[in-house]
Amino acid sequence: MVGFKPTDVAPTSCVKVVGAGTAACVADLVTFPLDTTKVRLQIQGESKSINSVTSPKYKGVFGTMVTIVKTEGARSLYNGLVAGLQRQMSFASVRIGLYDSVKQFYANEADTITIANRLLAGCTTGAMAVAMAQPTDVVKVRFQAQLNLTGVSKRYTGTIDAYRKIAKEEGLPGLWKGTLPNIVRNSVVNCSELVTYDLIKDALIKYNLLTDNLPCHFCAAFGAGFCTTIVASPVDVVKTRYMNSPPGQYRSALNCSLIMLTKEGFTAFYKGFMPSFLRLGSWNVVMFVTYEQLKRAMMLVKQSWESS
């Protein structure tokens, strides 16, 4: 058997919240370059993008990563990491850590938890997380879109500078820019990610294909990442472009969608699909495997401490 054994006592809500936030940060550290690559590919083609004249052309996942490293240095792949980690600690801890509790709430003590209960729980915790963590997401996206080229002025010099400038130039609503598409996106992501992981994991255990251990968690997480990428990519592209846009470029997220459709065609909604899949697939694997192991480790420590 691989990893920690399942504990006799179910993890507490506190353990789940702390474990989810920590596991998400670990996953971000591992996959952040892919996320930056995804953002650059998603905003490519905007008619009025920041520094559009000097922006290099990106082709493919690894081609984009190589271009970023050659023109801006390897550190640029981690632009916005601080805001990303801030986001995960406040975001993942709510959307993932509270998912089981909210799922049980909707089940109303019933013996069987239905798919509808799971979907409602995913939508609820996804929306709650966005309401809390939206400013960190806005700053993360803008840092990832920012070019670090000689002679090109930077929009922001640091994380605190970004929060301050956005609030000063665009008002507090600027920090919550794109909240609606982000709620839609994260409700979709949360449902497809957590519900798919839940269902695949339950099926693997139910039909005795795998036991409730690391290989099972790996397979379920990989499947969840693939399904999530297919469902969430269009909303993710719109969210990224709208959040990165300067004031006045788009009237709304819907207007951004229409402009993309008319000027770039339907395929624009799947720009950056491969890095999205590589990122979501690997992020899900790292996050869920780490999360499951952290929950068990934390409960073993808790039980050991209580018994001593």
Side-chain angles (χ1 to χ4, degrees):
M1 185 170 62
V2 183
F4 291 104
K5 297 179 180 179
T7 54
D8 296 329
V9 181
T12 63
S13 295
C14 182
V15 165
K16 291 177 182 177
V17 168
V18 174
T22 305
C25 285
V26 172
D28 250 26
L29 285 169
V30 173
T31 64
F32 208 81
L34 287 170
D35 197 31
T36 300
T37 301
K38 177 201 73 172
V39 169
R40 293 292 182 90
L41 285 168
Q42 287 177 337
I43 65 172
Q44 184 166 258
E46 286 185 293
S47 58
K48 298 179 183 178
S49 63
I50 300 298
N51 302 321
S52 59
V53 175
T54 54
S55 296
K57 297 294 182 182
Y58 302 121
K59 293 182 179 179
V61 180
F62 298 107
T64 299
M65 293 181 74
V66 169
T67 299
I68 292 172
V69 171
K70 282 184 177 179
T71 58
E72 305 172 52
R75 290 182 62 182
S76 291
L77 291 171
Y78 283 89
N79 272 357
L81 178 62
V82 173
L85 296 179
Q86 291 173 350
R87 173 181 179 267
Q88 292 300 353
M89 282 307 297
S90 57
F91 184 71
S93 58
V94 173
R95 78 176 184 92
I96 298 170
L98 295 181
Y99 171 74
D100 286 337
S101 299
V102 176
K103 181 174 65 177
Q104 292 292 341
F105 171 78
Y106 282 124
N108 195 24
E109 306 302 327
D111 293 333
T112 304
I113 297 176
T114 65
I115 293 180
N117 297 146
R118 300 173 199 257
L119 291 172
L120 282 170
C123 288
T124 301
T125 58
M128 288 168 59
V130 170
M132 290 181 58
Q134 182 68 6
T136 62
D137 206 9
V138 171
V139 170
K140 179 184 80 76
V141 166
R142 294 200 183 184
F143 259 105
Q144 289 176 310
Q146 178 172 274
L147 298 176
N148 289 331
L149 297 174
T150 304
V152 176
S153 59
K154 295 181 181 179
R155 297 174 81 179
Y156 314 109
T157 57
T159 305
I160 300 301
D161 179 60
Y163 286 116
R164 182 181 59 79
K165 279 186 178 177
I166 294 171
K168 181 179 179 181
E169 296 171 5
E170 303 173 42
L172 286 178
L175 289 170
W176 269 267
K177 187 173 187 177
T179 299
L180 183 58
N182 212 14
I183 285 177
V184 173
R185 185 255 183 193
N186 280 292
S187 294
V188 170
V189 167
N190 224 33
C191 286
S192 54
E193 191 174 78
L194 295 177
V195 174
T196 304
Y197 177 80
D198 243 2
L199 293 174
I200 294 175
K201 178 184 169 184
D202 288 352
L204 290 173
I205 296 170
K206 179 180 178 181
Y207 294 105
N208 297 316
L209 298 173
L210 292 169
T211 57
D212 187 10
N213 283 298
L214 198 147
C216 174
H217 305 155
F218 180 94
C219 293
F222 187 83
F226 181 73
C227 294
T228 302
T229 308
I230 293 175
V231 173
S233 277
V235 183
D236 192 32
V237 174
V238 173
K239 180 213 77 167
T240 298
R241 289 202 176 187
Y242 186 62
M243 287 168 60
N244 182 59
S245 65
Q249 182 171 350
Y250 303 117
R251 294 193 301 272
S252 64
L254 179 60
N255 176 248
C256 176
S257 303
L258 292 173
I259 290 175
M260 283 175 57
L261 183 62
T262 55
K263 290 190 174 182
E264 301 173 57
F266 181 76
T267 55
F269 292 100
Y270 280 91
K271 279 192 172 183
F273 179 84
M274 187 52 69
S276 288
F277 170 59
L278 289 175
R279 197 261 174 178
L280 267 177
S282 56
W283 192 93
N284 271 271
V285 168
V286 176
M287 196 285 297
F288 278 116
V289 168
T290 305
Y291 178 45
E292 297 280 10
Q293 292 299 300
L294 274 175
K295 285 190 296 182
R296 295 177 180 184
M298 291 168 73
M299 286 305 295
L300 285 173
V301 171
K302 182 176 182 291
Q303 289 174 341
S304 176
W305 181 75
E306 289 176 346
S307 62
S308 61

